[in-house]
Amino acid sequence: MMPTMIPLSSDTETRPTAAMRGAIAAAPVGDEQRGEDPSVNLLLERVADLFGMEATLFLPTGTMCNLISVKVHTQPGDVLLAERDAHVLRAESGGAGLVSGVITEALVGSSSGGEFADIDADPAGARIPGTFSADDLRAALDRLAMMPAPYAPPATLLCVEQTHNFGGGSIWPLARLAAVSELARTRGLAVHMDGARLLNAVVASGVPAAQWCAHVDSVWIDFTKGLGAPLGAVLAGSRGFIAQALRYKHAFGGAMRQAGIAAAGCLHALDHHVARLAEDHANAARLAAGLATLSGVRLVYGAPQTNIVFFEPDGSGPGAAELARRCAERGLRVSAIGGRIRAVTHLDVSRAQIDEALAIIADALR
Ligand SMILES: *Cc1c(COP(=O)(O)O)cnc(C)c1O
């Protein structure tokens, strides 16, 4: 018999709880396309308040939030800058190029190493996975402007990711985000935050969402990650930004009907699944501490700040893909990504399962 899988490959593996299913079943609904769905409208107000942003839009996925945001902020031929392992560059099927015709410029942060930093501090020159400094951005912008207008392609959009997925769930230090954002805006760029896991950063740092959002022109959160809803994301920005985003939502087929069915799951998540993200962070820390004691693997980024742990084989035993396969045979699902293994904690993984996962990984390494 197949053992029950411990689902550590992604926090998208969450299933709606019985209570969430109850909220979904009881949701008042209407025609979302016409702005008549009360559950969607309530969700939009709640997120606008939480972010301190003027306007919000309900979308089916986070990928569509990024797709639409890039479209609104750019013209074909413009430059989109993002950290080189940003989700928008690495994991969205080239959508930004397909739909917006942008040139992408990858900023070299430190996804391949570096240590997490205290979010209150921004040690000069510190390499923080998934982030870059204002100096890094300045150098990239200067290089892009090596030729004068009209030769140089116009850089109009900077995307930052919070927390950074392939950077091991890293949190931007607030001062670093502020400095990067100020420079970008001075140079005429809009700043977009891929905040798929922004609430993980909020819970881990104690810095309210609105304080992060004050530094960006658009931002979204995903309800299908650690928040545990089956679908839905909310995009936020100025009234003008959201008015344009609404047009593309329709154009891309993202306008829905009785979407309150989905929004009710998101509302339930806001009420019941935010504070508990701290448990996921504690479980990730426990997993990382256990991995640090195993021979045959090493942590890529050290102790995690949130719910994502990357580790890699040290070359003495199986490679990442083989190790992930052996884990799966033993009842543990993890992701092999680029020669590393990613394990993501969430509300469907208990502390006891973290200990089981460690025993499985130890056995798979033998
Ligand atoms: C998951 C994720 C996305 C895409 O969200 P979907 O809802 O799966 O489309 C975008 N950015 C980051 C950082 C993510 O983790």
Side-chain angles (χ1 to χ4, degrees), residues 31-70:
D31 190 334
E32 190 261 351
Q33 269 188 28
R34 300 185 196 196
E36 291 173 359
D37 188 294
S39 300
V40 170
N41 292 343
L42 179 59
L43 177 67
L44 293 179
E45 275 173 39
R46 290 276 307 271
V47 178
D49 280 353
L50 184 67
F51 287 4
M53 300 294 266
E54 268 179 18
T56 40
L57 191 63
F58 190 48
L59 290 167
T61 65
T63 300
M64 196 181 281
C65 292
N66 279 341
L67 192 70
I68 288 176
S69 299
V70 174

Side-chain angles (χ1 to χ4, degrees), residues 5-8 332 348-358:
M5 281 281 178
I6 300 173
L8 274 174
L332 168 65
D348 286 355
V349 179
S350 66
R351 182 177 148 133
Q353 284 176 308
I354 294 296
D355 295 340
E356 272 178 68
L358 282 164

Side-chain angles (χ1 to χ4, degrees), residues 61-63 66 87 92 161 165 194 196-197 220 222 224-225:
T61 65
T63 300
N66 279 341
H87 199 280
E92 296 178 12
E161 194 169 307
N165 186 337
D194 172 341
R197 296 183 183 79
W220 59 273
D222 212 333
T224 64
K225 302 281 161 79

Side-chain angles (χ1 to χ4, degrees), residues 156-201:
T156 54
L157 179 59
L158 176 70
C159 177
V160 294
E161 194 169 307
Q162 172 88 310
T163 65
H164 196 289
N165 186 337
F166 300 140
S170 60
I171 301 174
W172 276 82
L174 192 55
R176 175 170 288 211
L177 177 67
V180 157
S181 164
E182 192 188 330
L183 174 66
R185 285 167 162 176
T186 305
R187 296 286 198 101
L189 283 80
V191 183
H192 170 70
M193 178 178 278
D194 172 341
R197 296 183 183 79
L198 174 60
L199 295 186
N200 289 85

Side-chain angles (χ1 to χ4, degrees), residues 196-223:
R197 296 183 183 79
L198 174 60
L199 295 186
N200 289 85
V202 166
V203 168
S205 67
V207 176
Q211 228 170 306
W212 302 102
C213 295
H215 298 289
V216 302
D217 300 294
S218 51
V219 54
W220 59 273
I221 48 169
D222 212 333
F223 285 92

Side-chain angles (χ1 to χ4, degrees), residues 11-331:
D11 45 7
T12 55
E13 292 209 60
T14 51
R15 303 291 156 90
T17 61
M20 183 180 280
R21 287 170 188 267
I24 289 169
V29 296
D31 190 334
E32 190 261 351
Q33 269 188 28
R34 300 185 196 196
E36 291 173 359
D37 188 294
S39 300
V40 170
N41 292 343
L42 179 59
L43 177 67
L44 293 179
E45 275 173 39
R46 290 276 307 271
V47 178
D49 280 353
L50 184 67
F51 287 4
M53 300 294 266
E54 268 179 18
T56 40
L57 191 63
F58 190 48
L59 290 167
T61 65
T63 300
M64 196 181 281
C65 292
N66 279 341
L67 192 70
I68 288 176
S69 299
V70 174
K71 184 70 186 157
V72 173
H73 287 304
T74 63
Q75 296 296 319
D78 286 2
V79 182
L80 156 68
L81 292 106
E83 196 276 334
R84 69 173 169 181
D85 285 332
H87 199 280
V88 70
L89 298 188
R90 291 284 169 268
E92 296 178 12
S93 305
L98 182 70
V99 160
S100 300
V102 288
I103 293 172
T104 57
E105 185 80 3
L107 288 157
V108 178
S110 53
S111 293
S112 54
E115 292 288 316
F116 295 118
D118 193 315
I119 63 117
D120 297 323
D122 186 12
R127 287 159 52 79
I128 303 162
T131 76
F132 42 87
S133 66
D135 285 343
D136 296 334
L137 177 61
R138 187 175 297 107
L141 289 173
D142 288 347
R143 193 172 174 76
L144 278 167
M146 145 197 305
M147 293 293 284
Y151 297 95
T156 54
L157 179 59
L158 176 70
C159 177
V160 294
E161 194 169 307
Q162 172 88 310
T163 65
H164 196 289
N165 186 337
F166 300 140
S170 60
I171 301 174
W172 276 82
L174 192 55
R176 175 170 288 211
L177 177 67
V180 157
S181 164
E182 192 188 330
L183 174 66
R185 285 167 162 176
T186 305
R187 296 286 198 101
L189 283 80
V191 183
H192 170 70
M193 178 178 278
D194 172 341
R197 296 183 183 79
L198 174 60
L199 295 186
N200 289 85
V202 166
V203 168
S205 67
V207 176
Q211 228 170 306
W212 302 102
C213 295
H215 298 289
V216 302
D217 300 294
S218 51
V219 54
W220 59 273
I221 48 169
D222 212 333
F223 285 92
T224 64
K225 302 281 161 79
L227 294 179
L231 68 108
V234 173
L235 175 64
S238 67
R239 274 189 207 91
F241 170 84
I242 291 297
Q244 284 180 275
L246 178 62
R247 181 251 167 133
Y248 293 119
K249 167 177 165 157
H250 276 255
F252 300 162
M256 297 170 273
R257 298 297 184 186
Q258 285 71 35
I261 291 291
C266 304
L267 282 165
H268 182 86
L270 279 183
D271 288 334
H272 302 284
H273 294 171
V274 177
R276 66 149 307 286
L277 291 171
E279 291 170 37
D280 301 343
H281 302 165
N283 281 339
R286 186 178 182 86
L287 178 67
L291 287 167
T293 68
L294 297 182
S295 54
V297 289
R298 60 180 163 239
L299 295 171
V300 174
Y301 302 117
Q305 287 182 301
T306 57
N307 69 329
I308 301 178
V309 178
F310 270 88
F311 58 102
E312 60 193 354
D314 67 6
S316 66
E322 171 62 13
L323 183 56
R325 198 190 58 74
R326 290 188 193 177
C327 287
E329 273 175 5
R330 291 163 173 76

